[in-house]
Amino acid sequence: IYPNRITYNAVIEAMGAANQTSLIDHWYLDGVTAGHIQPFRGLESHGWIDLHYHSVYMARAAVRMTFETVYALYCADALPVDGRLIFIVGKGRKLLAEINKQLKTEFDPPIQCHVRSQNLGRLLTNETDVINWLERRKAKETTIRNQEQYKA
């Protein structure tokens, strides 16, 4: 068996069924690094994350990876977009609903989004919510770092 998008999807689906989120993220990153999964080609230039051919578990991993990447760029003052992210899901309404739910429940503060009326397969994030999430995460990490310094 040769690794490709389909084999990564099968492994990730099995891990999803076993509720192994950290392993899902590990194997998703491995697939992206190997070039078998390519959702981020439009991230830096347009803020696009292409989730065509993604299962729900793969898409959730892509969302987590997107925000880790955007956060790293934000901390380096190299954020290529102004907080506007567009998740391209295609015609899969289930995937669209799952990503929408994830953004509202797994992120603090929640990230609101809406469907583009001209293209129902695109989920657009609220730019202010993304920036607020980035700022809040940076503030949390700064507080934790400061507390660790005082303990030492």
Side-chain angles (χ1 to χ4, degrees):
I1 296 177
Y2 296 100
N4 60 30
R5 180 184 47 80
I6 295 167
T7 55
Y8 275 97
N9 184 47
V11 169
I12 289 169
E13 283 296 300
M15 290 178 201
N19 205 23
Q20 298 291 319
T21 303
S22 62
L23 286 173
I24 290 170
D25 290 350
H26 168 80
W27 283 104
Y28 189 82
L29 175 60
D30 189 76
V32 169
T33 303
H36 299 298
I37 307 169
Q38 300 180 347
F40 305 116
R41 288 179 289 188
L43 179 60
E44 288 191 39
S45 56
H46 303 290
W48 295 344
I49 303 90
D50 187 351
L51 302 179
H52 282 100
Y53 309 111
H54 276 57
S55 67
V56 170
Y57 291 114
M58 286 178 69
R60 287 180 182 157
V63 170
R64 288 187 294 270
M65 187 180 288
T66 297
F67 278 89
E68 288 302 316
T69 302
V70 168
Y71 179 69
L73 292 169
Y74 174 77
C75 288
D77 290 324
L79 192 63
V81 293
D82 57 359
R84 179 190 60 131
L85 300 173
I86 303 169
F87 292 95
I88 303 170
V89 299
K91 297 182 181 186
R93 298 291 169 245
K94 179 180 180 185
L95 191 56
L96 189 126
E98 288 292 330
I99 299 305
N100 193 358
K101 178 182 169 186
Q102 180 184 14
L103 291 169
K104 291 178 181 173
T105 60
E106 291 183 19
F107 291 85
D108 182 26
I111 297 173
Q112 300 297 318
C113 47
H114 65 278
V115 175
R116 181 174 230 155
S117 61
Q118 304 95 326
N119 185 337
L120 300 178
R122 293 183 179 210
L123 192 63
L124 284 73
T125 59
N126 180 300
E127 294 123 354
T128 304
D129 288 349
V130 172
I131 297 300
N132 287 342
W133 180 84
L134 293 167
E135 289 172 352
R136 185 169 185 172
R137 177 161 174 194
K138 190 169 188 177
K140 277 183 183 178
E141 289 187 4
T142 300
T143 300
I144 290 169
R145 211 171 18 257
N146 289 341
Q147 289 172 347
E148 289 173 354
Q149 286 177 348
Y150 289 123
K151 288 180 183 178

